[in-house]
Amino acid sequence: MRCGCIAVGRVQCDGCHRVLEYGERYLLIDSKEGQGQHYCVDCCLSRGYASYKIEKGEKIITFFIEE
């Protein structure tokens, strides 16, 4: 399951191993074993987990891409 989140504590990206700052957006991909993977916006864009789209005249980023 995918969950778009905002960092409020110490969160480290599993892709680039960078510690995310307070208020920064990231994606949590939860697996069935209970282990979650955290990805920053840059890693999500490079891996295809996020995309930009135009909504109400503004360019926004979304983690919920249409398949």
Side-chain angles (χ1 to χ4, degrees):
M1 179 167 91
R2 292 183 182 185
C3 182
C5 303
I6 298 174
V8 293
R10 187 177 189 280
V11 179
Q12 184 175 7
C13 176
D14 291 325
C16 63
H17 304 289
R18 180 175 64 87
V19 176
L20 303 176
E21 296 181 18
Y22 180 83
E24 191 173 349
R25 295 175 62 191
Y26 69 95
L27 177 67
L28 171 65
I29 300 177
D30 196 19
S31 65
K32 293 182 181 181
E33 298 87 30
Q35 299 292 330
Q37 295 178 332
H38 305 86
Y39 292 108
C40 65
V41 174
D42 294 333
C43 289
C44 287
L45 289 169
S46 66
R47 294 170 189 251
Y49 294 144
S51 65
Y52 285 103
K53 71 177 189 177
I54 304 287
E55 187 171 297
K56 295 182 182 177
E58 290 188 34
K59 184 178 177 182
I60 62 169
I61 188 167
T62 180
F63 294 120
F64 307 107
I65 56 176
E66 298 174 10
E67 297 182 18

